[in-house]
C-alpha cells in the first residue's frame, strides 16, 4: 500500500499523521525544516474540549497547558461580566495548571456559569507532544530537510520530488498539504488563496508575573491608557498579553512594547509588579480562504487552506478539525476503495 504523503510537520501535519496511522494507513511526513524546536512563549494555541479530546484519542499527551477557572470582561475601571467555567473535563492527560479559586462560586451575583474550560498551551509544547507520540508509531516516517518542489498525479497515485539533504522522489496514494499560509503545495496545485490582510494588528507579549486574577482570562476594553488588551494565563505564572494596535503600519518598537506592558500591569495592580518578559511579537489578522481544498488526490488542510481572524490562538485548532474530518475519510477510501468526498 502506497503511503499518504503529508507535507509539513507543524501541529496539523503531525496530528494528521497520527490520525491516519490510527486508521492503519502508512504515512510519510515531509518536513522542510530540521526538526529543531522553536521555543516561542508568545505563540500559543487555544483548544476547546472536543479538540483536546481528539488529540487524546490520537495518543498525544496534553501536558504543559492551562485550563482557566473563569473569564472576565472589563471596561475602563469596572467589570462588565464574568464567566465561571465548569469543572475540568476528564480528557486523559489534560491536567489543570491552576486550581479553581475558593471564592469562585457560580451562584455569586454577576457570575455566569459557562461550559468546560478551553486548554491554553504553548504551540512548541503541543508540537513536542505530537512528535513524542509519533516516535512510537511504526506506520509513520518523518523525513526532515525535504522541500517539495514538483508534484504530479494520475488516477491512482501522487508523486512529488523534494529538494534538500533528503531530496528524492516520493510516491503516495494521496497527498495533504499542511505546509502553512505560504503553502508550496497550494502553489504547485495552482489553487488561488484570495482574501485580505486586515488593518487589525495585535502586539503580543509573554511574561511571568502575578496578576489579580490567577487562572482567569481577561478582556479589558478601554483601559486607563487606552486601546484594548487581553490577558490569558499559561502554566507556571506565565501570561500571554495581546494589545489591539491602532490602524496603520507603524513599527512596534521594543520601548513602545515595554510601555504597554508597564501601563497594563500598573492599571491592573496599582503599580508595576515584578515581571519577567519572555517573548514578544506582532500578530496581523488575516482573512483568506483557498478556492479549492482538493485537486484530484491532493488536499489542503490547516493554514494552507484557510486563515482566520481569531486572536492568534485558534488557527491551529481549526486545522485540527480538518484532521478530524479528513483522516477517517482517507482511511475509508484507502481500505474500501470508495470514492472520496470531502
Amino acid at each position: 500500500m502506497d503511503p499518504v504523503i503529508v507535507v509539513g510537520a507543524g501541529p496539523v501535519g503531525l496530528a494528521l499523521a497520527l490520525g491516519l496511522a490510527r486508521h492503519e494507513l502508512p504515512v510519510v511526513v515531509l518536513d522542510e525544516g530540521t526538526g529543531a524546536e522553536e521555543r516561542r512563549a508568545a505563540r500559543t494555541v487555544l483548544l476547546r474540549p472536543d479538540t483536546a479530546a481528539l488529540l487524546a484519542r490520537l495518543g498525544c499527551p496534553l501536558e504543559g497547558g492551562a485550563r482557566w477557572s473563569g473569564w472576565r470582561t472589563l471596561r475602563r475601571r469596572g467589570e462588565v461580566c464574568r464567566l465561571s467555567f465548569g469543572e475540568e473535563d476528564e480528557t486523559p492527560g489534560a491536567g489543570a495548571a491552576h486550581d479553581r479559586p475558593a471564592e469562585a462560586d457560580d451562584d455569586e451575583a454577576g457570575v455566569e456559569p459557562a461550559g468546560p474550560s478551553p486548554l491554553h498551551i504553548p504551540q512548541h509544547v503541543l508540537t513536542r507532544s505530537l512528535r513524542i507520540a509519533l516516535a512510537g508509531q511504526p506506520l509513520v516516517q518523518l523525513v526532515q530537510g525535504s522541500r517539495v518542489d514538483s508534484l504530479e498525479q494520475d488516477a491512482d497515485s501522487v508523486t512529488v520530488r523534494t529538494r534538500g539533504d533528503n531530496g528524492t522522489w516520493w510516491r503516495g496514494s494521496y497527498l495533504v498539504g499542511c505546509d502553512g499560509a505560504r503553502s508550496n503545495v497550494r502553489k504547485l496545485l495552482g489553487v488561488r488563496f484570495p482574501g485580505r490582510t486586515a488593518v487589525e494588528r495585535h502586539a503580543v507579549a509573554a511574561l511571568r508575573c502575578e496578576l489579580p486574577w490567577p487562572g482567569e482570562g481577561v478582556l479589558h476594553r478601554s483601559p486607563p491608557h487606552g486601546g484594548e488588551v487581553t490577558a490569558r494565563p499559561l502554566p507556571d505564572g506565565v501570561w500571554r498579553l495581546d494589545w489591539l494596535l491602532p490602524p496603520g503600519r507603524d513599527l512596534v518598537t521594543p520601548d513602545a512594547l515595554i510601555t504597554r506592558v508597564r501601563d497594563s500591569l500598573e492599571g491592573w495592580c496599582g503599580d508595576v509588579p515584578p515581571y519577567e518578559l519572555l517573548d514578544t511579537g506582532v500578530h496581523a489578522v488575516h482573512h483568506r480562504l483557498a478556492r479549492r481544498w482538493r485537486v484530484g488526490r491532493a488536499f489542503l488542510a490547516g493554514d494552507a487552506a484557510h486563515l482566520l481572524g481569531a486572536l492568534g490562538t485558534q488557527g491551529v485548532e481549526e486545522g485540527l478539525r480538518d484532521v478530524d474530518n479528513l483522516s477517517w475519510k482517507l482511511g475509508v477510501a484507502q481500505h474500501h476503495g470508495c470514492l472520496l468526498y470531502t
Side-chain angles (χ1 to χ4, degrees):
M1 180 186 297
D2 287 336
V4 177
I5 300 172
V6 174
V7 181
V12 175
L14 296 174
L16 179 60
L18 279 174
L20 295 170
R22 185 168 177 262
H23 290 283
E24 301 181 349
L25 297 182
V27 186
V28 172
V29 181
L30 302 178
D31 182 13
E32 183 178 343
T34 63
E37 182 175 274
E38 183 184 13
R39 298 177 63 90
R40 292 293 309 276
R43 181 175 294 174
T44 62
V45 177
L46 197 65
L47 301 175
R48 283 170 280 188
D50 58 332
T51 316
L54 164 67
L55 291 171
R57 290 197 305 273
L58 296 179
C60 176
L62 290 176
E63 300 175 353
R67 292 190 182 276
W68 307 336
S69 59
W71 179 271
R72 296 172 187 256
T73 299
L74 312 176
R75 182 177 292 276
R76 298 185 176 87
R77 298 184 182 276
E79 183 175 295
V80 176
C81 70
R82 180 181 169 200
L83 300 178
S84 177
F85 289 117
E87 295 297 322
E88 177 189 337
D89 66 14
E90 297 180 357
T91 301
H98 301 279
D99 292 331
R100 182 183 176 87
E103 68 272 19
D105 185 349
D106 290 348
D107 295 328
E108 180 182 346
V111 180
E112 300 180 18
S117 169
L119 178 70
H120 192 207
I121 185 170
Q123 183 168 318
H124 70 268
V125 173
L126 175 59
T127 301
R128 183 197 311 151
S129 297
L130 287 163
R131 286 181 176 269
I132 291 172
L134 276 177
Q137 181 47 257
L139 288 173
V140 179
Q141 179 183 2
L142 178 58
V143 184
Q144 311 286 171
S146 295
R147 175 181 172 81
V148 173
D149 74 349
S150 70
L151 186 157
E152 301 173 0
Q153 58 177 314
D154 55 33
D156 301 311
S157 65
V158 182
T159 304
V160 297
R161 184 180 66 180
T162 59
R163 297 291 189 186
D165 295 339
N166 296 297
T168 187
W169 288 90
W170 298 89
R171 174 188 167 96
S173 56
Y174 294 95
L175 178 142
V176 186
C178 304
D179 49 344
R182 295 181 174 86
S183 170
N184 200 40
V185 170
R186 188 183 64 239
K187 294 172 184 175
L188 291 171
L189 293 174
V191 175
R192 293 182 57 215
F193 198 41
R196 65 190 181 95
T197 297
V199 296
E200 184 176 323
R201 295 186 304 155
H202 297 261
V204 184
L207 53 91
R208 182 176 285 110
C209 68
E210 292 187 11
L211 293 183
W213 321 280
E216 292 188 277
V218 176
L219 169 62
H220 196 168
R221 300 183 185 276
S222 304
H225 294 281
E228 178 179 300
V229 58
T230 304
R232 288 171 284 192
L234 288 159
D236 303 322
V238 176
W239 294 79
R240 170 174 166 158
L241 273 58
D242 293 67
W243 294 268
L244 177 63
L245 296 173
R249 294 294 178 184
D250 296 339
L251 291 177
V252 181
T253 65
D255 288 345
L257 188 53
I258 292 297
T259 299
R260 288 182 180 275
V261 170
R262 295 180 65 85
D263 285 349
S264 295
L265 296 182
E266 182 180 20
W268 292 333
C269 303
D271 55 14
V272 180
Y275 70 91
E276 178 186 3
L277 186 62
L278 304 175
D279 190 20
T280 62
V282 175
H283 169 68
V285 175
H286 298 273
H287 303 279
R288 296 188 181 275
L289 184 66
R291 288 292 191 189
R292 302 177 66 183
W293 292 8
R294 176 188 182 182
V295 178
R297 288 178 168 265
F299 296 81
L300 300 173
D303 286 353
H306 44 71
L307 290 175
L308 306 175
L311 285 176
T313 57
Q314 292 171 263
V316 169
E317 192 199 49
E318 295 300 323
L320 294 175
R321 293 181 183 276
D322 295 344
V323 168
D324 196 23
N325 180 45
L326 186 56
S327 57
W328 71 268
K329 292 179 178 179
L330 287 173
V332 170
Q334 190 79 324
H335 288 303
H336 300 287
C338 302
L339 290 175
L340 183 60
Y341 297 94
T342 57

